[in-house]
Amino acid sequence: MSTDCLFCKIAAGDIPATIHYEDERLIVLEDINPQAPVHLLLVPREHIPTTLDLTSEDNDLVGHIFQVAGKIARELGFADSGFRIVNNCNEAGGQTVWHLHFHLLGQRQLAWPPG
Ligand code: 5GP
Ligand code: ZN
C-alpha cells in the first residue's frame, strides 16, 4: 500500500468508487471518465507502479486479471462482438495514475489506431 496512491486508497475503501467486482487479488471499478458504455479499471490490490515493475512473481496475477476481464466481458454480453483491454505505461503511453491497471472498454465499436 502506498499512502499517497489513489488506487491504493480506493482498494482500501478510503476513497469511494463504484466497484464492479473484487477478490483477494484485484478490484474492478468503473472509470470516473468513461470512454465507452462499459469502461472498467482492473486494479491489482498490490501497489505496482507500472508494467515495467512487474516481475515473474506477478505472472499469475496478470493472467488472473485477463481471465477476470474476459469473464466480465462475457457476463456483460459484449465478448463475442468485441472489446479492448488497455494498459497505458508512463507518460507517453498516457498513464496518469501510477498504480498498475488495465482498462476494459466495451459495448461500442472501437477505432484503431488509438489517439
Ligand atoms: P491511466 O490514464 O493512468 O491509464 O488511467 C487512469 C484512469 O483512472 C483514467 O481513465 C481516469 O479517468 C481514471 N480515474 C482518475 N481518477 C479517478 C477516480 O477518482 N475514480 C475513478 N473511478 N477513476 C479515476
Ligand atoms: Zn497504489
Side-chain angles (χ1 to χ4, degrees):
M1 160 111 188
S2 170
T3 50
D4 60 354
C5 170
L6 174 67
F7 288 166
C8 281
K9 287 178 181 165
I10 288 175
D14 294 339
I15 290 179
T18 304
I19 305 292
H20 181 86
Y21 167 87
E22 62 183 314
D23 63 28
E24 69 282 355
R25 286 187 278 179
L26 79 150
I27 59 170
V28 181
L29 55 133
E30 291 182 7
D31 197 291
I32 204 168
N33 182 24
Q35 303 300 311
V38 174
H39 186 172
L40 297 169
L41 301 173
L42 295 103
V43 181
R45 290 187 183 276
E46 183 186 350
H47 182 78
I48 301 169
T50 80
T51 294
L52 296 169
D53 299 300
L54 287 164
T55 71
S56 57
E57 289 186 2
D58 302 311
N59 288 353
D60 193 60
L61 171 67
V62 176
H64 179 61
I65 289 171
F66 274 73
Q67 295 242 332
V68 168
K71 189 163 181 275
I72 292 172
R74 285 196 188 92
E75 285 169 358
L76 296 182
F78 57 80
D80 289 344
S81 56
F83 59 95
R84 190 170 294 168
I85 297 169
V86 174
N87 169 249
N88 298 326
C89 185
N90 279 342
E91 288 185 13
Q95 185 170 5
T96 58
V97 177
W98 264 256
H99 178 133
L100 180 70
H101 54 281
F102 297 85
H103 300 252
L104 173 60
L105 300 148
Q107 258 167 22
R108 75 166 166 86
Q109 180 64 49
L110 296 162
W112 191 263

